[in-house]
Amino acid sequence: MKRFILVLTLLLGMLQYRLWWGENSLPEYFSLQEQIHSQQTSNAKLLERNQVLKEEIIDLRSGTEALEERARNELGMVKEGETFFRVVGNDVKSFKQ
């Protein structure tokens, strides 16, 4: 009977070791759960960004207003007959004496 209890105790000890420190242990499981959560958060942000880009592509393909706005802002283009003014100066605070 003592051998049986000894074998059960050793088996319980081996299982506890594997549960807490061995391969696929509980700490490793919790670490993987945290990695999964952070990856899902990152994926959600990227999906949202992709949706915005898809909407921008559709807008650029369908109308000329978005294309014109992008040409004005990013390329500095001006329509015929328009005059472009660039105001360069100091802060308003610097004019006070």
Side-chain angles (χ1 to χ4, degrees), residues 22-36:
E23 187 178 334
N24 298 327
S25 63
L26 278 179
E28 186 178 340
Y29 169 78
F30 291 126
S31 172
L32 288 174
Q33 288 293 345
E34 182 63 33
Q35 288 177 9
I36 288 171

Side-chain angles (χ1 to χ4, degrees), residues 85-90 95:
F85 293 98
R86 174 175 270 168
V87 179
V88 179
N90 297 333
F95 288 111

Side-chain angles (χ1 to χ4, degrees), residues 9-91:
T9 305
L10 287 174
L11 183 61
L12 179 64
M14 287 174 31
L15 289 174
Q16 285 294 315
Y17 174 80
R18 186 152 185 235
L19 176 67
W20 295 105
W21 297 286
E23 187 178 334
N24 298 327
S25 63
L26 278 179
E28 186 178 340
Y29 169 78
F30 291 126
S31 172
L32 288 174
Q33 288 293 345
E34 182 63 33
Q35 288 177 9
I36 288 171
H37 177 68
S38 65
Q39 186 64 47
Q40 287 175 338
T41 304
S42 174
N43 288 350
K45 289 178 184 177
L46 290 173
L47 284 173
E48 183 178 323
R49 180 175 168 250
N50 284 346
Q51 185 62 34
V52 169
L53 290 174
K54 284 178 186 178
E55 290 172 4
E56 187 176 343
I57 289 171
I58 291 170
D59 194 27
L60 287 171
R61 284 184 179 168
S62 65
T64 58
E65 293 170 4
L67 191 59
E68 181 179 332
E69 178 185 344
R70 193 169 202 128
R72 287 175 180 268
N73 291 337
E74 293 180 10
L75 303 175
M77 299 182 91
V78 180
K79 283 185 180 179
E80 264 188 59
E82 286 184 337
T83 306
F84 177 73
F85 293 98
R86 174 175 270 168
V87 179
V88 179
N90 297 333
D91 287 350

